[in-house]
Amino acid sequence: MESSEGAILRRWTPDDAGALNDAASGSEDLLIQFGQQDLATHDACRQYIENQLATESASARHFAVAVDGVAVGDIGISSMEFNHGTAWVSYWLNAEFRGRGLITRGLVSASEWAFSESLFRLELGHRVNNPASCRVATRAGFQAEGVERAKLRYGVERYDVETHARLATDPAPKDIAPLPR
């Protein structure tokens, strides 16, 4: 496993357009995950960052996973609902940087942020044909809760999704150092 030294969580900026374009164009599974979103050019990536990733609201926040200043992934917390204290979590990572523990550490850090903002229950789901995403969720303290049949559609294909959740009262994952924010 390669080092994750020099990695942090930070806000997205329009200057990350090239890095987003590299990540999206370099991975078939990310192209599927981004669905109909056009990320084929730097301008399209810049617009996506400005409209989606860099925009904070009362119900959504995205963190860029950056290594030596370059954005290589994303942790998103969306559908934040403070009456019940719940939110939905998503993540992706440039294929070139997988296997270093970056997303796991980023997910732990983003979860700590969410709990500090008075959220209590964080939920996420991964395609059942994506065991690497399952390992990330489990290592970051998210417990599996069940499978939702044919929940996600990418193109014309539907995928079963395993749902995981982490509660503010769950113990912090052992031996996982959160990425600095």
Side-chain angles (χ1 to χ4, degrees):
M1 179 178 296
E2 295 183 45
S3 170
S4 59
E5 190 175 319
I8 62 168
L9 282 189
R10 63 164 172 78
R11 293 181 64 148
W12 282 90
T13 72
D15 292 338
D16 293 320
L20 176 59
N21 181 257
D22 289 345
S25 64
S27 172
E28 183 72 29
D29 64 315
L30 281 183
L31 286 176
I32 292 169
Q33 189 169 332
F34 282 120
Q36 301 300 319
Q37 185 62 50
D38 174 20
L39 299 176
T41 67
H42 285 237
D43 285 341
C45 289
R46 181 175 287 107
Q47 185 173 20
Y48 182 72
I49 290 168
E50 290 172 349
N51 295 336
Q52 299 293 322
L53 301 179
T55 302
E56 292 183 26
S57 71
S59 64
R61 172 83 186 262
H62 282 269
F63 297 93
V65 176
V67 176
D68 297 328
V70 177
V72 298
D74 178 70
I75 309 281
I77 301 177
S78 61
S79 301
M80 291 189 281
E81 197 283 316
F82 291 94
N83 186 43
H84 297 288
T86 60
W88 183 258
V89 179
S90 60
Y91 47 87
W92 59 263
L93 187 66
N94 181 321
E96 183 181 331
F97 290 84
R98 294 179 186 165
R100 301 180 191 191
L102 290 167
I103 283 294
T104 302
R105 292 182 60 208
L107 183 53
V108 170
S109 183
S111 297
E112 288 177 355
W113 173 85
F115 294 142
S116 76
E117 294 292 312
S118 300
L119 292 170
F120 181 78
R121 178 183 169 85
L122 305 177
E123 301 173 6
L124 63 83
H126 63 83
R127 297 184 318 270
V128 296
N129 67 342
N130 188 346
S133 188
C134 185
R135 285 190 299 274
V136 166
T138 303
R139 289 188 67 225
F142 285 73
Q143 297 179 28
E145 294 190 329
V147 174
E148 298 174 89
R149 298 175 305 133
K151 181 174 183 171
L152 296 178
R153 182 183 70 202
Y154 296 116
V156 297
E157 195 167 348
R158 295 206 72 91
Y159 295 88
D160 291 350
V161 171
E162 183 172 62
T163 302
H164 292 246
R166 181 172 171 204
L167 308 179
T169 54
D170 288 341
K174 294 182 180 182
D175 303 323
I176 304 291
L179 285 182
R181 285 184 272 135

